[in-house]
Amino acid sequence: MQGTLREHCGLFGIYDKSKLGSIASTVYYGLFALQHRGQESAGIAVNRDREITLIKDTGLVSDVFKRYDLSALEGEFAIGHTCANADAKDDVTNAQPVTVKYHKGHLTVAHNGNIANAKALRDALESKGAIFHSTNNPAEIICHLIARARLHTATIEEAVAKVVPLLKGSFSLLIMSPCKLIALRDPLGLRPLCIGKIGDSILFSSESCGLETVGATFERDLKAGEMVVVTPDEIYSDERFCSACSALCIFEHIYLARPDSVVDGQSVNEARINAGKLLARQNPVDADLVIGVPDSGVSSAIGYATESGIPYGVGLIKNRYIGRTFIQPTQAMRERSVALKLNALDSNVKGKRIVMVDDSIVRGTTLKNIVKLIKKAGAKEVHVRISSPQFLYPCYFGTDIPDRDQLACNRYTVEQLRQNLDADSLSFLELDSVEQIAPCSKIGFCKACFDGKYPCAVDDTVDESLID
Amino acid sequence: MQGTLREHCGLFGIYDKSKLGSIASTVYYGLFALQHRGQESAGIAVNRDREITLIKDTGLVSDVFKRYDLSALEGEFAIGHTCANADAKDDVTNAQPVTVKYHKGHLTVAHNGNIANAKALRDALESKGAIFHSTNNPAEIICHLIARARLHTATIEEAVAKVVPLLKGSFSLLIMSPCKLIALRDPLGLRPLCIGKIGDSILFSSESCGLETVGATFERDLKAGEMVVVTPDEIYSDERFCSACSALCIFEHIYLARPDSVVDGQSVNEARINAGKLLARQNPVDADLVIGVPDSGVSSAIGYATESGIPYGVGLIKNRYIGRTFIQPTQAMRERSVALKLNALDSNVKGKRIVMVDDSIVRGTTLKNIVKLIKKAGAKEVHVRISSPQFLYPCYFGTDIPDRDQLACNRYTVEQLRQNLDADSLSFLELDSVEQIAPCSKIGFCKACFDGKYPCAVDDTVDESLID
Amino acid sequence: MQGTLREHCGLFGIYDKSKLGSIASTVYYGLFALQHRGQESAGIAVNRDREITLIKDTGLVSDVFKRYDLSALEGEFAIGHTCANADAKDDVTNAQPVTVKYHKGHLTVAHNGNIANAKALRDALESKGAIFHSTNNPAEIICHLIARARLHTATIEEAVAKVVPLLKGSFSLLIMSPCKLIALRDPLGLRPLCIGKIGDSILFSSESCGLETVGATFERDLKAGEMVVVTPDEIYSDERFCSACSALCIFEHIYLARPDSVVDGQSVNEARINAGKLLARQNPVDADLVIGVPDSGVSSAIGYATESGIPYGVGLIKNRYIGRTFIQPTQAMRERSVALKLNALDSNVKGKRIVMVDDSIVRGTTLKNIVKLIKKAGAKEVHVRISSPQFLYPCYFGTDIPDRDQLACNRYTVEQLRQNLDADSLSFLELDSVEQIAPCSKIGFCKACFDGKYPCAVDDTVDESLID
Amino acid sequence: MQGTLREHCGLFGIYDKSKLGSIASTVYYGLFALQHRGQESAGIAVNRDREITLIKDTGLVSDVFKRYDLSALEGEFAIGHTCANADAKDDVTNAQPVTVKYHKGHLTVAHNGNIANAKALRDALESKGAIFHSTNNPAEIICHLIARARLHTATIEEAVAKVVPLLKGSFSLLIMSPCKLIALRDPLGLRPLCIGKIGDSILFSSESCGLETVGATFERDLKAGEMVVVTPDEIYSDERFCSACSALCIFEHIYLARPDSVVDGQSVNEARINAGKLLARQNPVDADLVIGVPDSGVSSAIGYATESGIPYGVGLIKNRYIGRTFIQPTQAMRERSVALKLNALDSNVKGKRIVMVDDSIVRGTTLKNIVKLIKKAGAKEVHVRISSPQFLYPCYFGTDIPDRDQLACNRYTVEQLRQNLDADSLSFLELDSVEQIAPCSKIGFCKACFDGKYPCAVDDTVDESLID
């Protein structure tokens, strides 16, 4: 899965009821643990005595905040965001959180997911005279909607509740008003969001690994559709949008989430091992070594090795120092750009029949270069095993793939694709078995990218009568 | 081996006889592949028409050069350096390469290793009136020595040859005069250096992975004591300092080098797998899972698993985004600082008896925290296996460990250390078998840190009569 | 007048009908000439093929744009802004121009002046659900108003015309829609704005010195209330808001504008000389030398010298290198902070009776230190002459003086103030004669700070029925 | 004098015997007052407990130190330098002070002037094996010489005394050893250096304005050839190099020094007024207004006006915001580049016969553009008066003019030059009278640029036997 699932951001928040202090630093460490969910921009907003301080910029968490003395930035509650939106790479107006001033003071929103009807919402707002500073920032749209809804509601949470029906798509949200912190997961539960505690302080994180990093106890995942409201006096849950059908994006288990996270009851690492085991049963091959494409293919490769009895080994070394600021390869190096990131471990693969496990095929170009690397290192055979089904349908809830023509699995048969990759065999996880990788999951899955069955309407429309 | 072997820098050079162009970019990619050998500073010096352009600064390769248009920096030959010298972290005078102007034009030196008699050499030079801009930069000392030797020698290579007997310790060197590029490996061969080709262009790299990254063919390692001189007209080898006894630092295989490199005929990855296998034979234990401490413990863990028949698995997830600019942990987070870098994979280790393989124990503090992490994640037992013998003696050829008292293996018995780590068992690779990990190596090893047998005198003295 | 008239920004725009090219550079040079009107932030917005590129940041013109290749930023029309708003010093959301996206594409506004009913407008907009990104940015308010007005108007210029009656206070504006550039001066003409030409290209500048710097021919000042609309096909003037009474801020002549500018027919330099001459007639004194407080007191001092026959000389040397980034004085230096900026010219003032001319007294603290400097340098007497009347009333059209209590002339009698300054005499330009300093001016003046007669209502209210 | 006298640096030092504290800040303010002497780089070196901290970089004083907390940089003594050396603009190795480590600890040197035999000294040192980090930095040469001399001398001051006879040219020096601060003025006294006090703390400054800015009392100028040594216990003067003939560069009065400085007893401002008066007597003309080219022509213009009875006025406005980072003019603007810096004051010059006073003519190109500006503004006649004689001979003590061919006065007769400038008349101060401008000066002058009589041999040679 080579850099294509772009809309998977990271959220982290805290309402520091136990007065632990170091609030901005805690959010910083939490975001740092969620850095894999978005490397384009980062931001932290802290509420102190009803005043907001917002720091955000393009770049990695460790770059954005190095100029600031976060230890001096105290407050009662705070939220942070790491962003994978490509439009936030160079344009800070598209970074999050978004903080605005409106008739009730200030309002801060951070969003993870993809609003499928974003354009329709924006058009509807503009037709009422709204102005936008960003070119593509769902949090700014949500700010507009909340500000308008708040005109006719008694509380911020009621305003948020008026906005939820307007949003089509995936959205985990953290929202701050001058004295409340609200966490919300969309009715389908497409993106994860969990809650933790340190003493009486309440924390929210996109993944459980964020809680663990800052020393918080994991309490539970938010239910699909649940809104948790934290005020100075209480914390309560509003379940009006919860429903029976739920649909966590299965790519969270396949690729997006960190393996040490547990999402909706399912260990991500175990899901990947399970995928590898299923793959071995469904697509066995006579071989000498199983290797994984780092980082997301490794757990599945170990699963494949365990099930098949073929030894597991390291076949590819990843250069850990590739960063945002890496200088663009020269023409001469462009065709070698995979070489900058990955190198084959000749001593392990030479003369061997290799099973190479990767998580998915979107465009397929990088994978072709990797097969080439392994063959050049002396592998006799390379059998590619993909720990997910064929990616056939566009995703409206979190990728930037514009149309089906760019999906390799749509353009080629498996045999054509195998030839294209110059692999000795190629097979995918069977579509029927994909949910078996997550037997412990407490909620259902969206697998629309594999089967085309979208869990909700994805048309870019809006019922304007609902906008105040 | 947590951040303690500091003097292992990376060298990369090219004499572009085939006029490939993009010379600074090629060195940049080469240094990038050698980034693991030093993260404190980086520099590139390019010779064009007898003029030198030098860019160097503190920081990572990808940070140092991002302000520059390397594609516009052309020339006939060039060298680069990544530095692990802690004194270069904040003080650019200690960064390398060092370029000076002297009676024969300009002279540029880049050094990998540790000059044991650096202080004596500096004192001797100062007693002749020499001035220094750096506080701790072996390349500046070597520039002084060459400049003086050159007064009474016909060529730059003869001047270098006069300097070699003055240097005690480890030194791989790349040296540029206005029209020659010289590569040199110390008579014991303590640090690696190899030579490669693209067409007629000659390349030098500390490790073979650097050559592979830029698309060069690996030709051979320099012999211990060999000096290779590249001029516009020829390339020749001077073997006057080569001798029978050679002593590559065995820590290159255990920890320093990248696993995909082949050093003196021995694959680094295979050496680590071998160490793991030997360890399994010497120190078997009844357990459920073998895990490695990333990154250097992974190959040995796979070796241990293979030999023992116990399954291999991933037990620790490393945060890949930790960088130089990471904000210092707050007091509250300090004790959790291991948590920022590593997280246990609960789903893999819970309820299991774990064999955890790490490469070495120097101070032992980080390892203690890692055992704690694994136990907290639910491991029933943690058996620590170290893929090298006990680190008992200070190293004068490449570490910054000031004295023996700081070495955990010196302060404690193995049983005390086990209790200290709260491990269920602890064992090391046997001293007798350490050379068995590298059966393909064409040269001998320095294992002084394990057995105290130093391959050369390490006193900080100099025969001043040899300095011109 | 020590750093207190904060809302005097600089505007510069061009519609490049002659395709001169280098459009961003031309605006850059224009802003550079207007740098004296605002040093807190700077910005340039360029329209190319209906797409806007906006660069803005806190800092001086020469600092903000140094990272950018302006020569590559081409387009059909563009506007720029230098900002004196103290709230833009650290917060880029308060910098200008402001560019937003709305139902008709994009909209860019740059403003010079002070909107007296800004808070009421903001409240009214918020009560309709509007959200704000800035804390204090009149251009964002105006964007909101135009976007709403545009819902019910056929053209952008009609939308602007609907907004004008809502704005109380001073406002020169440059506004860009995807294909039009609009320049507007408020109905009173409180702030200047003029129009120039290079070939068929139309330029706008706050002062004529901006036109001269870029080689444009000065055409004329906009009339008070005039709106000039430049489209691809035509340029026309809309005078519906022009009225008989006009009220240019007289401080433009006294302090704000550059002496080489001609504002509404009156040379700024001549106005200052005239003020000096009047002062000499009204407040003669027996003295040896006339000096001016640089920079704005110099022309008036020459006028005083000419009229009185007392020789003119330089008495104070100003350090030209004081900038935004100047390190805050230590405690020991704080009382000497005037010494960092000004030094007395002992050789000129020693033993002499000095007439020292300054432009105005607001708080009076700096002036006191200057008198001290001159006396310490050996002046026998120091006679302070102020080239404007007593500053007695707050300004609602361009200063940040919150209330009358901070105005020295309100708190003290002239005699008390003289003692406070330790001057040997102190006198001001007579109120009756202040308009005589600008006999060539084609429009009237606002002198409310001297006489309390405000040219329009300054209450912070808004007729909400006018907002769409 | 348009940006051509490049080697006039600024020195500032303090030995803080009274323990005033804030030592780095004091040097910072001192350098700030001397900023006019060099804008290419700046540096401060502070000695604390025999340890040196050095901060230096390319750029203005206010830019170089803004990243540092100078208030935390304390010590017993310190020196600073502002540099006008064009080779220090981009290459920090050519910036000063230079700090080196040598056999007696550390040594820091800051230099103002021009060492005429720098190349010969460098060659001689290189022939003894010396290496250089800078390409053009006299302070590094002096460090080498002192380090060698110190081998055979009992004290640092004796080492300095051994070096003085080796140096040909101009040199004011500040030198720090681990416990001494030495100030030295060359035997001819070509560059200024003065001494001041705050309590018992001793301060040195290139000009008296530096002392005044930090609140120090001016004590006296160093004599030509005097060396002042400050130790923890005493302060003493060594006059062994003082001689009868002295030769302050007369351009210090004409152009280089700040008008509020007093150099060797002569007020710089009075010298300029005197030059203007002499000029008026020698070259009278019937005219309506006298103007000066800012900044250095203003005082002379006032002198001319006083003597001639023609009124003085401001004719040119200088943009004060031009800085190092100013973006290079586009092709279209290049011919208008004078317009970016200067604008004519039309209201003052229109229809008038103008006397325009400038300090000198080197290449003459800028002056030609200024005459054009004034004529375009409507002046009927422009009579150029130069307040120094014709610049005919190259200067070896402080300019970067390579040869006589580039000096306009050498290439053209006065009449040709007048035509070239398109001036109505042109005249210079008479050579015989140039010393009359500084009647109070306690020392003689070097006027070699006017009369070719160099005060010492300027050949680029060195008696190598004197180098240890």
Side-chain angles (χ1 to χ4, degrees), chain D residues 219-260:
Chain D
E219 291 286 307
R220 62 181 181 84
D221 294 277
L222 265 73
K223 294 178 199 165
E226 183 180 1
M227 173 164 68
V228 176
V229 182
V230 193
T231 76
D233 308 314
E234 60 173 340
I235 163 168
Y236 73 91
S237 186
D238 180 328
E239 304 198 355
R240 79 180 83 174
F241 296 111
C242 295
S243 79
C245 70
S246 56
L248 176 74
C249 168
I250 197 150
F251 252 104
E252 291 282 348
H253 284 300
I254 294 168
Y255 169 75
L256 297 179
R258 233 170 74 168
D260 53 331

Side-chain angles (χ1 to χ4, degrees), chain D residues 18-58:
Chain D
S18 286
K19 306 201 173 176
L20 306 166
S22 303
I23 194 163
S25 301
T26 301
V27 176
Y28 171 82
Y29 298 125
L31 290 183
F32 182 70
L34 299 171
Q35 181 74 83
H36 62 288
R37 295 186 72 85
Q39 289 98 46
E40 302 303 359
S41 69
I44 295 176
V46 177
N47 185 309
R48 178 176 203 167
D49 295 338
R50 310 177 68 89
E51 296 277 325
I52 278 281
T53 302
L54 170 66
I55 300 172
K56 66 176 170 180
D57 208 346
T58 58

Side-chain angles (χ1 to χ4, degrees), chain C residues 172-362:
Chain C
S172 288
L173 295 173
L174 292 179
I175 298 166
M176 293 201 297
S177 75
C179 60
K180 292 177 188 167
L181 170 57
I182 299 171
L184 175 77
R185 196 169 169 189
D186 67 64
L188 291 167
L190 279 154
R191 294 290 154 218
L193 190 59
C194 61
I195 181 167
K197 278 197 176 177
I198 303 176
D200 289 329
S201 295
I202 312 296
L203 296 94
F204 299 97
S205 175
S206 284
E207 295 180 31
S208 61
C209 67
L211 299 175
E212 208 154 333
T213 295
V214 303
T217 315
F218 171 85
E219 290 287 306
R220 61 180 182 86
D221 293 275
L222 265 72
K223 293 178 199 164
E226 182 179 3
M227 174 163 68
V228 176
V229 181
V230 193
T231 76
D233 308 315
E234 59 173 340
I235 165 168
Y236 73 92
S237 186
D238 181 329
E239 305 199 354
R240 77 178 85 172
F241 297 111
C242 295
S243 79
C245 70
S246 57
L248 176 74
C249 168
I250 198 154
F251 252 104
E252 291 282 348
H253 284 300
I254 294 169
Y255 169 76
L256 297 179
R258 232 169 76 166
D260 52 332
S261 286
V262 175
V263 178
D264 290 317
Q266 172 64 50
S267 150
V268 174
N269 178 58
E270 273 189 1
R272 292 184 190 165
I273 290 175
N274 291 341
K277 288 179 176 172
L278 282 167
L279 201 50
R281 261 177 271 150
Q282 294 165 2
N283 302 286
V285 64
D286 206 15
D288 306 311
L289 191 76
V290 183
I291 68 174
V293 177
D295 292 324
S296 47
V298 168
S299 293
S300 299
I302 291 173
Y304 194 104
T306 305
E307 183 70 21
S308 66
I310 305 168
Y312 168 78
V314 175
L316 291 158
I317 296 299
K318 188 170 176 180
N319 190 324
R320 300 299 177 188
Y321 299 96
I322 290 268
R324 288 179 93 250
T325 57
F326 196 75
I327 289 172
Q328 280 312 306
T330 54
Q331 193 56 37
M333 281 303 286
R334 197 148 301 150
E335 59 186 43
R336 297 189 55 73
S337 66
V338 163
L340 294 175
K341 288 181 219 153
L342 289 172
N343 203 8
L345 208 46
D346 299 25
S347 64
N348 268 2
V349 302
K350 191 176 290 175
K352 291 188 185 145
R353 296 167 301 167
I354 302 294
V355 176
M356 186 174 82
V357 184
D358 201 0
D359 57 82
S360 56
I361 294 182
V362 180

Side-chain angles (χ1 to χ4, degrees), chain C residues 251 360-362 388-396 401 403-414 417 428-429 431 447-454:
Chain C
F251 252 104
S360 56
I361 294 182
V362 180
S388 65
Q390 287 169 265
F391 196 127
L392 291 164
Y393 301 90
C395 171
Y396 302 107
I401 300 169
D403 58 70
R404 296 181 54 175
D405 293 351
Q406 297 189 26
L407 296 168
C409 292
N410 255 322
R411 302 175 63 191
Y412 306 109
T413 64
V414 173
L417 203 49
F428 293 84
L429 188 70
L431 178 55
K447 332 178 283 290
C449 50
F450 306 134
D451 63 12
K453 294 177 188 154
Y454 297 95

Side-chain angles (χ1 to χ4, degrees), chain A residues 22 56 73 108 251:
Chain A
S22 302
K56 67 176 170 180
L73 187 53
T108 303
F251 252 104

